[in-house]
Amino acid sequence: GQQVQQSPASLVLQEGENAELQCNFSTSLNSMQWFYQRPGGSLVSLFYNPSGTKHSGRLTSTTVIKERRSSLHISSSQTTDSGTYLCALDSGGSNAKLTFGKGTKLSVKS
Amino acid sequence: GPKVLQIPSHQIIDMGQMVTLNCDPVSNHLYFYWYKQILGQQMEFLVNFYNGKVMEKSKLFKDQFSVERPDGSYFTLKIQPTALEDSAVYFCASSSGTGETLYFGSGTRLTVL
């Protein structure tokens, strides 16, 4: 089955609202990365977060290993936050390989 | 932050032709990767490469695919011959080690006609 599941699949917000994106995984975790994929397709790394909580501006990532989940919180959303948010799991082993979720498509309206 | 450059950004070729996608990874990185994303679908791992060798490849990495990085130049993905189902965006990535942050390029959109 799907090793990495993201929810919701899509989300529409009014500018200024907060968003909570979830990523659940079914295998062991070596690391978790969150990416933002622009509408044009390019990927931007947001967080490398194997455990605990990390902050970057309006973004917060929390990974709880024993619960096999990671979340991305966006506060005070802006229209420029629109795009797809991907989480990717590295389950460890000698070769680094990321397994991606299907993404959450976020649309922020003014 | 660190940049991975991919050349070209778009490539259109006829089915059966050969294509080479080029990637200039982050300068001190040692691990290199290719991922494939068909339009509207999930990003999927193709292959990783370290110390001049393929370390692991997925079932998507067909016999027609090959990778190399001759003498520290571009890390390349070659497809020969191409098929219609190879149409996708191919992303290159690099990292300094296993379990480290992967940095992705902007992708090459390949269209096979």
Side-chain angles (χ1 to χ4, degrees), chain A residues 1 7-8 10-11 13 18 25 32 35 37 39 45-46 49-50 60 64 73 78 89 92-93 109-110:
Chain A
S7 60
S10 62
L11 183 61
L13 298 177
N18 299 334
F25 45 93
M32 173 65 71
F35 295 90
Q37 186 165 31
S45 178
L46 298 176
N49 187 10
T60 301
V64 183
H73 183 85
Q78 301 174 358
L89 166 74
K109 300 192 181 301
S110 58

Side-chain angles (χ1 to χ4, degrees), chain A residues 4 11 26 28 41 44 49 56 62 64 66 68 70 93 99 101 105:
Chain A
V4 180
L11 183 61
S26 58
S28 61
V44 177
N49 187 10
S56 176
T62 300
V64 183
K66 63 181 180 180
R68 296 199 166 178
S70 182
T99 302
K105 187 170 183 179

Side-chain angles (χ1 to χ4, degrees), chain B residues 38 41 52:
Chain B
I38 295 173
Q41 297 187 22

Side-chain angles (χ1 to χ4, degrees), chain B residues 12-20 62 64-65 78-87 110-113:
Chain B
I12 301 174
I13 59 169
D14 291 323
M15 182 176 63
Q17 284 190 316
M18 180 194 77
V19 69
T20 299
K62 304 181 296 184
Q64 296 89 332
F65 287 34
K78 183 186 292 185
I79 309 174
Q80 181 178 26
T82 51
L84 295 177
E85 61 265 28
D86 296 331
S87 293
L110 176 66
T111 302
V112 182
L113 302 175

